[in-house]
């Protein structure tokens, strides 16, 4: 166990998490507090509600009227609005939105300016007939206009949904077509690094396939004027900002599953669940509040955008960025952090690993004195990634790798100001989230790999899936394997110290000779071998009960010799893992298919290799490189059963 950071001696009195726990009871350590929080859900969430002074226009009748999963009923009777919480607070002239872009110059907004724009946008949407329950969809990048439009939509009790402009036309229609929006917000294009990306044809195609859209509002961003109305026309009138008080479970926004296996699930999140969960997540577990500048690199098609902008809920400024994070080099985001005075810096594990591999030392290159915490998500951060942050970024930051999902729009596990940072581990289970590792019989495991499950309800579990009358798809997605228990689809180990290790998706796990291994561990070894730029591993089971076939696909660094790399990879796997995990076949491919949020398509590629048509296995429009599936399609053609 390699401890890289320990909480300050006064953390219980100076951290926001420590102060909350001081109000809730007398605890000797974090693990005790966590256990109390999941065994006394009503007391915990009622205490959190008081701590953050949640604004409700009607009192709640109880905290948790039903514990059933699915079907838990939270805070019945309460009437509130997410946008009212995001926009409350005095305006001292300090910035609350700090936006940078590769397409245009800087845009900064104070709270008063943000309120004014939200009020104008809400007035414009009302003129277009938008009211409670109507859907507003956005094909917009991570810019202030997107944030303004979202808050305006929420203030009206209407329902928001967004896709990043990087998404292909079919992916957007597959998502927005399900919810039938009446207003569509778009951009004409954007600049990604040194390339201009024209989206006018895509916008026209999307608009043609969304017959319910009455008005298209265009944000002029690259160069063209498109749509029925411009952004300035939408904001032409000012009316007093009024917040529609809605029930706790009234839909706030619709997020989508990755779209890698058929039509994306349209996941509905409620005003109340998101408000209280994000207050907890950001205001205590991440220790964010007034004076902070919170940044997490994300596009508007990833749930991390929804979480990042919730920094407004706890009084933090939010830093928005639209552009290529690797242009003109991997230092771009670190330069952004210096320029904006970012205090909380979040990115993907893949980004930090790439920085380490490139030999970056941002702590020496840039003034990062303001940064006090670094967050990582998207995939497991390997131990070397932990060490790199402390050696090359800053030695005294809180490193908080976390794991959760679009399904709950939050993290289940992560770091905190009260728990030490150990290389390769996620520090703790988050308050109010009863995370356990289950074996196949539903028994809780400690110090063993098991299915990540949630055995008590959380407020931000989905209201449901859009159009899922009766809830059968929702139940099938999470509750079929362990009735009454949420199965998330990850392998997790809970240590006897309360920390956690995520080892990949449970439905993509390798099982060779009875030994289970998460793919993240294998990638850590393979991608540590010189000459390997990226990799993907698939295990094809033998219907006859044999050991099956383990396939390893690699992307080679420029001019690397495949035979030499293959020998080195096999030797490393044999030495660092086990002989069982040396691949039967190793293949060089041009690219590894990844979603726009950076996740590898393990399960869809496996299905393609098993003979499922690529169009059914994955949505190309949801990929960073839509052609990345081509090599796997070609390999599948002659395979038995293909």
């Amino acid at each position: 166990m390699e401890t890289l950071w320990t909480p300050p001696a006064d953390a219980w009195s100076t951290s926001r998490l420590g102060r909350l726990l001081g109000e809730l009871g007398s605890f000797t350590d974090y693990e005790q507090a966590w256990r109390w929080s999941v065994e006394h859900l009503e007391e915990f969430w009622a205490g959190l509600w008081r701590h953050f002074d949640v604004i409700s226009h009607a009192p709640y009748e109880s905290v948790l009227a039903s514990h059933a999963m699915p079907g838990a009923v939270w805070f019945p009777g309460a009437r509130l609005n997410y946008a009212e919480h995001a926009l409350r607070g005095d305006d001292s002239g300090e910035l609350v939105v700090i936006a940078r872009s590769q397409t245009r110059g800087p845009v900064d907004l104070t709270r008063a300016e943000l309120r004014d724009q939200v009020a104008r946008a809400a007035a414009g949407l009302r003129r277009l007939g938008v009211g409670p329950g109507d859907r507003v969809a956005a094909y917009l990048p991570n810019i202030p206009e997107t944030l303004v439009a979202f808050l305006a939509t929420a203030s009206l009790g209407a329902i928001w949904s967004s896709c990043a402009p990087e998404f292909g036309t079919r992916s957007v229609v597959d998502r927005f077509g399900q919810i039938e929006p009446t207003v569509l917000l778009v951009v004409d294009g954007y600049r990604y690094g040194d390339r201009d990306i024209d989206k006018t044809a895509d916008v026209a195609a999307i608009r043609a396939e969304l017959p319910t859209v009455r008005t298209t509002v265009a944000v002029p961003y690259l160069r063209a004027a498109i749509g029925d109305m411009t952004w300035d026309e939408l904001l032409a009138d000012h009316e007093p900002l009024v917040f529609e008080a809605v029930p706790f479970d009234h839909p706030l926004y619709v997020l989508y599953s990755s779209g890698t296996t058929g039509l994306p699930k349209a996941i509905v999140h409620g005003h109340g669940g998101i408000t209280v969960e994000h207050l907890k997540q950001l205001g205590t577990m991440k220790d964010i509040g007034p004076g902070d500048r919170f940044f997490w690199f994300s596009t508007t098609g990833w749930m991390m955008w929804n979480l990042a902008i919730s920094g407004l809920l706890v009084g933090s400024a939010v830093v928005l960025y639209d552009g290529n994070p690797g242009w003109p080099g991997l230092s771009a985001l670190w330069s952004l952090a210096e320029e904006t005075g970012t205090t909380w810096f979040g990115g993907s594990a893949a980004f930090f690993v790439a920085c380490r591999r490139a030999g970056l030392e941002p702590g020496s290159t840039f003034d990062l004195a303001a940064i006090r915490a670094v967050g990582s998500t998207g995939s497991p951060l390997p131990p070397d990634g932990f060490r790199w942050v402390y050696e090359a970024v800053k030695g005294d930051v809180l490193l908080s790798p976390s794991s959760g999902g679009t399904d709950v729009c939050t993290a289940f596990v992560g770091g905190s100001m009260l728990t030490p940072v150990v290389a390769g581990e996620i520090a703790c289970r988050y308050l109010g989230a009863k995370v356990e590792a289950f074996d196949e019989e539903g028994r809780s495991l400690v110090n063993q790999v098991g299915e990540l499950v949630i055995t008590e309800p959380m407020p931000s579990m989905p209201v449901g899936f859009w159009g899922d009358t009766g809830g059968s798809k929702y139940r099938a997605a999470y509750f079929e394997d362990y009735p009454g228990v949420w199965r998330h689809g990850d392998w997790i180990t809970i240590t006897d110290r309360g920390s956690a290790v995520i080892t990949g998706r449970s439905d993509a796990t390798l099982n060779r000779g009875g030994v289970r291994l998460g793919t993240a561990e294998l990638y850590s070894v393979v991608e540590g071998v010189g000459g390997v730029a990226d990799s993907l591993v698939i295990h094809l089971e033998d219907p006859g009960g044999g050991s099956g076939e383990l396939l390893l696909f690699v992307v080679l660094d420029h001019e690397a010799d495949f035979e030499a790399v293959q020998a080195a990879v096999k030797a490393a796997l044999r030495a660092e893992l086990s002989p069982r995990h040396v691949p039967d076949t190793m293949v060089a491919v041009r690219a590894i298919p990844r979603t726009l949020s950076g996740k590898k398509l393990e399960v869809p590629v496996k299905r393609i290799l098993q003979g499922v048509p690529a169009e059914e296995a994955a949505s190309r429009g949801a990929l960073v490189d839509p052609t990345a599936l081509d090599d796997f399609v070609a390999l599948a053609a002659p395979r038995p059963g293909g």
Side-chain angles (χ1 to χ4, degrees):
M1 188 175 86
E2 182 184 0
T3 302
L4 300 172
W5 180 89
T6 55
D10 60 354
W12 280 81
S13 60
T14 59
S15 69
R16 294 176 174 89
L17 173 58
R19 290 196 290 271
L20 169 68
L21 293 178
E23 295 175 11
L24 296 177
S26 299
F27 304 105
T28 58
D29 58 33
Y30 177 83
E31 182 68 8
Q32 180 194 24
W34 171 82
R35 195 160 298 282
W36 176 86
S37 77
V38 296
E39 292 173 353
H40 301 82
L41 286 178
E42 291 91 339
E43 291 177 62
F44 168 70
W45 288 105
L48 186 118
W49 185 287
R50 291 191 303 271
H51 180 80
F52 285 105
D53 191 23
V54 173
I55 304 167
S56 181
H57 296 266
Y60 60 79
E61 298 158 6
S62 61
V63 175
L64 186 54
S66 170
H67 280 254
M69 287 198 295
V73 178
W74 289 94
F75 295 100
R79 299 188 71 87
L80 72 170
N81 190 287
Y82 172 97
E84 186 170 11
H85 292 82
L87 293 169
R88 69 174 168 177
D90 297 329
D91 184 66
S92 61
E94 290 186 8
L95 301 180
V96 295
V97 177
I98 303 164
R100 300 295 181 264
S101 164
Q102 291 174 350
T103 306
R104 66 179 179 197
V107 178
D108 298 328
L109 299 174
T110 65
R111 184 173 284 107
E113 291 169 334
L114 178 60
R115 280 200 195 104
D116 176 71
Q117 290 198 21
V118 172
R120 290 176 177 276
L125 291 173
R126 273 193 295 268
R127 290 198 312 275
L128 297 178
V130 174
D134 291 326
R135 277 78 68 201
V136 174
Y139 189 52
L140 296 175
N142 187 11
I143 56 178
E145 290 90 339
T146 313
L147 173 57
V148 167
F150 160 60
L151 292 174
T153 300
S155 75
L156 299 172
I159 304 167
W160 174 263
S161 192
S162 62
C163 285
E166 301 91 78
F167 277 57
T169 302
R170 175 47 48 193
S171 293
V172 176
V173 172
D174 283 348
R175 287 159 170 77
F176 291 166
Q178 296 183 62
I179 64 170
E180 300 180 312
T182 59
V183 174
L184 176 67
L185 298 110
V186 300
V187 287
D188 56 299
Y190 58 93
R191 185 167 294 117
Y192 193 73
D194 58 354
R195 293 187 299 127
D196 286 351
I197 312 295
D198 184 1
K199 302 300 291 185
T200 53
D202 285 351
V203 168
I206 292 165
R207 179 67 182 83
E209 295 200 52
L210 297 177
T212 60
V213 171
R214 298 192 299 261
T215 308
T216 301
V217 180
V219 176
Y221 195 50
L222 187 59
R223 66 174 72 89
I226 58 175
D228 308 312
M229 174 185 286
T230 67
W231 177 255
D232 287 345
E233 289 170 338
L234 181 73
L235 270 61
D237 297 333
H238 184 281
E239 296 175 7
L241 187 55
V242 178
F243 301 99
E244 182 77 20
V246 296
F248 190 87
D249 61 355
H250 182 83
L252 171 64
Y253 43 61
V254 178
L255 305 181
Y256 303 91
S257 61
S258 61
T260 57
T261 54
L263 200 65
K265 298 188 294 288
I267 302 168
V268 183
H269 288 288
H271 272 254
I274 291 298
T275 297
V276 298
E277 172 59 34
H278 286 188
L279 285 170
K280 179 206 78 176
Q281 171 76 213
L282 301 180
T284 62
M285 304 311 307
K286 286 185 168 51
D287 197 52
I288 296 169
D292 276 312
R293 294 186 169 189
F294 180 38
F295 169 74
W296 206 297
F297 179 78
S298 178
T299 72
T300 56
W302 188 20
M303 57 129 310
M304 288 309 300
W305 181 81
N306 303 76
L307 182 66
I309 61 174
S310 279
L312 295 171
L313 294 178
V314 294
S316 169
V318 294
V319 179
L320 312 179
Y321 184 72
D322 175 44
N324 180 349
W327 187 88
L330 282 171
S331 292
L333 295 185
W334 301 109
S335 176
L336 172 77
E338 177 186 57
E339 192 248 314
T340 59
T342 292
T343 62
W344 226 104
F345 183 99
S348 68
F351 169 74
F352 296 116
V353 169
C355 288
R356 178 183 67 81
R357 288 182 150 192
L360 265 60
E361 296 183 357
S364 301
T365 309
F366 302 99
D367 180 1
L368 303 181
I371 292 183
R372 60 185 189 85
V374 172
S376 171
T377 195
S379 59
L381 184 67
D384 281 348
F386 281 69
R387 297 183 191 101
W388 178 83
V389 169
Y390 284 100
E391 293 167 1
V393 179
K394 205 174 180 191
D396 62 352
V397 295
L398 166 66
L399 174 59
S400 179
S402 58
S403 185
T406 300
D407 324 72
V408 287
C409 199
T410 192
F412 302 126
V413 293
S416 85
M417 288 297 295
L418 302 182
T419 48
V421 175
V422 174
E425 292 186 0
I426 298 175
C428 62
R429 292 172 281 187
Y430 279 165
L431 297 176
K434 196 170 185 185
V435 179
E436 298 185 64
F438 267 19
D439 67 10
E440 293 179 357
E441 304 301 319
R443 293 174 294 226
S444 189
L445 304 172
V446 177
N447 293 329
Q448 297 181 57
V449 175
E451 289 276 1
L452 192 162
V453 296
I454 312 295
T455 56
E456 289 288 348
M458 293 173 60
S460 68
M461 285 178 174
V463 172
F465 293 166
W466 192 268
D468 182 23
T469 304
S472 60
K473 292 181 181 178
Y474 180 39
R475 287 191 296 274
Y478 308 112
F479 300 103
E480 277 194 342
D481 294 290
Y482 306 104
V485 171
W486 173 292
R487 174 187 174 273
H488 194 60
D490 283 340
W491 287 126
I492 189 171
T493 301
I494 306 294
T495 73
D496 52 14
R497 292 172 282 109
S499 59
V501 178
I502 304 285
T503 45
R505 293 292 295 175
S506 55
D507 48 11
T509 296
L510 314 173
N511 188 337
R512 297 270 280 174
V515 177
R516 295 191 300 182
L517 178 74
T519 55
E521 293 178 79
L522 188 140
Y523 296 142
S524 181
V525 174
V526 172
E527 293 170 21
V529 173
V532 177
D534 204 356
S535 65
L536 183 92
V537 65
I538 302 295
H539 183 238
L540 298 178
E541 292 80 12
D542 179 1
S547 60
E549 183 179 16
L550 189 64
L551 303 170
L552 178 63
F553 302 94
V554 296
V555 176
L556 299 177
D557 281 331
H558 184 60
E559 295 184 350
D561 177 75
F562 175 75
E563 297 299 328
V565 169
Q566 179 174 238
V569 165
K570 290 184 175 182
L573 288 170
R574 186 180 301 275
E576 298 185 43
L577 296 179
S578 79
R580 292 185 180 90
H581 297 98
V582 174
D584 300 300
T585 305
M586 188 166 157
V587 181
V589 293
R590 184 186 58 80
I592 298 300
R594 290 179 179 267
T595 67
L596 292 169
S597 59
K599 293 183 179 179
K600 301 181 183 185
L601 271 68
E602 295 163 322
V603 175
V605 166
K606 180 175 180 176
R607 296 182 69 211
I608 289 171
L609 294 177
Q610 290 173 326
V612 175
E615 296 73 21
E616 296 178 20
S619 172
R620 289 182 185 265
L623 307 186
V624 172
D625 179 0
T627 68
L629 292 175
D630 293 348
D631 285 350
F632 300 94
V633 171
L635 287 166
R639 301 188 65 79

